Amino acid sequence: MVQLDFIVMAVFALLILSIGMAFTRMGSKNSQSFFEGGGAIPWWINGLSLFVSYFSAGTFVVWGSIAYKHGLVANGIQLTMVLGGLITAIFLAKKWKRTGAVTAAEYIGQRFGVKTQQFYTYLIMLHGLFMTASVLYPVGKMVHVATPLSLETCIIIIGTMIILYTAAGGLWAVLVTDVVQFVVLASAVLIVIPIAFGYVGGVNNFVNQAPQGFFNFFNEEYSIGFALAFLVYQTTYIGGNWAYVQRYTSVANERDSQKVAYLFSGLYLISPFIWMLPPMIYRIINPNLQGLEPEGAYMMLCQKVLPAGLIGLILAGMVSATASKANTTINLVATVFAHDVYRNLFNPKASEKTLIFSARIFTVLFGALTIWIAILVPKVGGIVELVLSTASIAGGALFAPIIWSLFSKRQTSFSVVTISVIALVVSLFFKIFSLSVLGFKLNRTYETVFGVGLPLLLLALFDIYQLLRGVKNEHILIQNKDIQAEMPTKTHPHNTEESNQQNRFGVQVIALSMGFVGLGVSILGLFANQNIPAIVVGLLVFCFAVIIWWRTKKI
């Protein structure tokens, strides 16, 4: 990297921070603005935010590493997210909107009571720590590969930037920066692909030099069985992860909540075939990466084929992707902490300003913990092991019982908590102790099948047990009404005029930021040896920005 690359990254960092700070005043108006963005956010903004938040955790390091080693296997795994998104759109998104809750935690409190709510809140916060750390580490690794900075320094700098703008602007800051980060990321990847193909002699040469089986969707480690089990996990995660539930509840109506998931699914149908090409191409250039080295294949390719300035843009895109995932989770846990821990347990009469202040303080503390855990990732076997193990152990146990309860009124607080505990304990046993105690260890497929299948099986058995006992839905509904009577009263007024003002301002910030990014990319293309792909992509982004600005007149 040269000075121009660092300048590009610095300008991008200032842009993102400026966007976040632009929403400080809006987020400070009241708790609905900070936590819900006014409650009627345009569905396409939430859909793009959900998409960027979801894939960013592993696109460049986790799935990039798998793409380098196994080729299209990485795409086969990610196509399960398309189906998971469709199932969520058809069955789950509108269910969440219909509950009337701001967060999944609030729904759990209304349905099962405060103690059950607290149980899941603490577990989700713990889960959020590891998931956020798992996305801070990859971008730290990317920047570390391309710069003289240490891995720890990279993680600290990037993590601090994310914490600052998330704490300042609330949900709107997260959503708008997500959309802008998506634009930067897409621009960067679309620029690097044609240049990379040119470096290896074209598409035909790439295909001819690829290893045997490189274009198969499945292999022995990542089999069809693994993909099916991963599909169940993806559905529970897309439809039940608390951070993503917020995307379905903060739009105007049930139809918009479904559109959020449909947009996510459509983008995921196309994007993996684009995102995974660079590390696959690098396998042809350098087939000798070993150990954890494939985690850096994406950035190694960029350094190999891109001119000065564009490497900085690619790194800015990497930071974008990871920042999107991290800020989504951090905003979610701050929201849950303020609403469902601080107010319920410590200060039931907390004012709007006090709630927002507590969320901002918790954002900083939670963010600092995630930075510390991210620095420790290499000690647990690398990012692929952390991400897939966390998914298999916690995904089904934490999210499946709550999703099930949206459809079954027979589940009780005792059943969902007990099933979550059993699933967590059993999965942890097979992950950590089975080799020493039983003499064998589950492979990746069976680990995932077990992690998502066990809680679903137990939930079905409890429903059958309740049915055989003659327990009817009406009995549970009466209990739910008693629980709701004990819960603190929460109202979510919907001010259409205020929501429209917030929407207009948010979309205008997106348009201005996109225009800035488009011009910047085109200028970089001119300086980078008249790079045609960069110039074209930049002009396209600028044109889209103009169209979006024009559309703000209709809001």
Side-chain angles (χ1 to χ4, degrees):
M1 286 183 65
V2 298
Q3 186 178 19
L4 181 59
D5 294 307
F6 288 104
I7 292 173
V8 170
M9 292 185 66
V11 169
F12 172 77
L14 288 174
L15 173 64
I16 294 301
L17 279 174
S18 299
I19 292 171
M21 297 304 171
F23 290 94
T24 301
R25 182 173 174 272
M26 181 188 294
S28 300
K29 283 184 177 180
N30 52 60
S31 61
Q32 188 187 41
S33 296
F34 189 87
F35 299 122
E36 299 179 73
I41 294 169
W43 63 268
W44 62 271
I45 293 179
N46 268 359
L48 282 176
S49 174
L50 176 62
F51 171 70
V52 179
S53 300
Y54 201 81
F55 79 77
S56 60
T59 295
F60 303 108
V61 175
V62 178
W63 306 124
S65 175
I66 294 173
Y68 174 87
K69 295 177 183 176
H70 307 295
L72 281 183
V73 166
N75 298 74
I77 297 171
Q78 291 180 83
L79 285 177
T80 61
M81 301 162 195
V82 178
L83 297 176
L86 285 175
I87 294 170
T88 299
I90 296 169
F91 299 108
L92 299 177
K94 61 183 178 182
K95 283 279 189 179
W96 281 116
K97 183 62 181 176
R98 196 173 296 167
T99 65
V102 177
T103 65
E106 185 180 335
Y107 162 74
I108 294 169
Q110 293 172 348
R111 171 71 193 273
F112 298 114
V114 175
K115 291 184 178 179
T116 304
Q117 181 191 61
Q118 291 169 358
F119 168 81
Y120 279 104
T121 295
Y122 298 141
L123 284 181
I124 289 295
M125 286 182 177
L126 182 63
H127 177 263
L129 275 174
F130 287 96
M131 292 309 295
T132 307
S134 74
V135 295
L136 281 180
Y137 171 81
V139 76
K141 183 70 176 278
M142 289 287 186
V143 178
H144 166 64
V145 169
T147 68
L149 299 175
S150 69
L151 177 60
E152 292 79 7
T153 302
C154 295
I155 291 171
I156 291 170
I157 292 173
I158 295 165
T160 301
M161 183 185 75
I162 294 168
I163 292 165
L164 285 175
Y165 75 74
T166 303
L171 183 59
W172 260 115
V174 171
L175 294 173
V176 174
T177 52
D178 281 356
V179 175
V180 175
Q181 287 160 344
F182 166 75
V183 172
V184 174
L185 176 65
S187 301
V189 175
L190 290 175
I191 290 168
V192 75
I193 288 174
I195 298 173
F197 273 131
Y199 191 89
V200 296
V203 176
N204 288 336
N205 204 37
F206 162 67
V207 172
N208 293 334
Q209 292 187 50
Q212 185 176 2
F214 205 56
F215 299 106
N216 295 337
F217 277 104
F218 307 102
N219 62 15
E220 187 175 346
E221 183 177 0
Y222 300 102
S223 62
I224 295 178
F226 170 82
L228 291 174
F230 206 61
L231 169 60
V232 178
Y233 162 74
Q234 292 296 342
T235 304
T236 60
Y237 197 69
I238 297 166
N241 182 291
W242 291 17
Y244 306 145
V245 167
Q246 207 174 3
R247 299 295 179 269
Y248 312 133
T249 61
S250 60
V251 291
N253 52 57
E254 292 179 19
R255 182 59 182 161
D256 280 359
S257 69
Q258 289 184 293
K259 289 179 181 178
V260 170
Y262 278 127
L263 179 58
F264 166 89
S265 186
L267 289 171
Y268 241 115
L269 180 62
I270 302 168
S271 63
F273 292 97
I274 300 172
W275 308 136
M276 292 299 100
L277 278 172
M280 291 173 65
I281 294 171
Y282 193 68
R283 176 68 183 270
I284 309 305
I285 297 172
N286 179 9
N288 300 316
L289 298 184
Q290 301 294 327
L292 299 181
E293 289 178 340
E295 292 180 352
Y298 224 112
M299 199 62 240
M300 292 175 190
L301 172 78
C302 295
Q303 289 180 296
K304 191 82 173 176
V305 304
L306 290 180
L310 292 182
I311 294 176
L313 179 66
I314 289 289
L315 271 178
M318 307 296 181
V319 174
S320 298
T322 302
S324 175
K325 176 72 175 184
N327 66 28
T328 296
T329 306
I330 291 172
N331 176 259
L332 178 277
V333 295
T335 300
V336 170
F337 174 82
H339 271 296
D340 305 300
V341 177
Y342 176 74
R343 179 163 63 180
N344 286 352
L345 295 181
F346 302 110
N347 191 358
K349 297 181 180 179
S351 65
E352 299 276 280
K353 288 185 177 180
T354 302
L355 277 179
I356 295 170
F357 179 76
S358 68
R360 284 173 170 158
I361 292 296
F362 185 76
T363 297
V364 174
L365 296 176
F366 183 86
L369 274 174
T370 61
I371 290 172
W372 176 66
I373 295 174
I375 292 171
L376 299 178
V377 165
K379 299 184 183 298
V380 299
I383 191 63
V384 175
E385 182 65 25
L386 177 64
V387 169
L388 295 183
S389 294
T390 302
S392 62
I393 293 169
L398 294 185
F399 305 126
I402 306 307
I403 291 177
W404 193 285
S405 74
L406 292 171
F407 299 91
S408 170
K409 302 302 181 184
R410 293 187 175 88
Q411 296 295 327
T412 65
S413 58
F414 172 80
S415 69
V416 294
V417 170
T418 301
I419 289 169
S420 288
V421 170
I422 291 173
L424 283 171
V425 170
V426 173
S427 293
L428 282 169
F429 171 80
F430 279 104
K431 184 65 184 180
I432 300 172
F433 302 110
S434 64
L435 185 61
S436 58
V437 176
L438 302 178
F440 69 90
K441 183 179 181 180
L442 297 178
N443 63 23
R444 186 76 72 194
T445 297
Y446 285 108
E447 184 180 272
T448 307
V449 169
F450 206 78
V452 298
L454 179 59
L456 292 175
L457 175 62
L458 294 176
L459 287 162
L461 290 175
F462 186 83
D463 253 24
I464 294 171
Y465 168 72
Q466 290 281 72
L467 185 63
L468 293 176
R469 286 180 60 215
V471 175
K472 297 183 179 179
N473 287 344
E474 289 77 8
H475 297 164
I476 304 298
L477 289 173
I478 292 172
Q479 295 175 21
N480 291 344
K481 289 178 181 178
D482 293 337
I483 289 172
Q484 291 173 21
E486 300 172 0
M487 292 287 293
T489 301
K490 297 180 182 179
T491 59
H492 308 294
H494 179 65
N495 187 323
T496 303
E497 184 177 350
E498 184 174 333
S499 296
N500 285 340
Q501 290 175 354
Q502 292 185 27
N503 291 348
R504 185 182 299 110
F505 180 72
V507 176
Q508 285 175 340
V509 173
I510 289 173
L512 288 172
S513 302
M514 284 180 60
F516 179 82
V517 170
L519 287 176
V521 171
S522 293
I523 292 170
L524 272 178
L526 290 173
F527 278 101
N529 301 323
Q530 301 290 315
N531 190 281
I532 300 301
I535 296 171
V536 172
V537 169
L539 291 176
L540 286 174
V541 170
F542 183 80
C543 291
F544 276 115
V546 173
I547 293 171
I548 291 172
W549 179 268
W550 179 76
R551 293 282 296 177
T552 61
K553 297 178 181 179
K554 296 186 177 183
I555 299 179

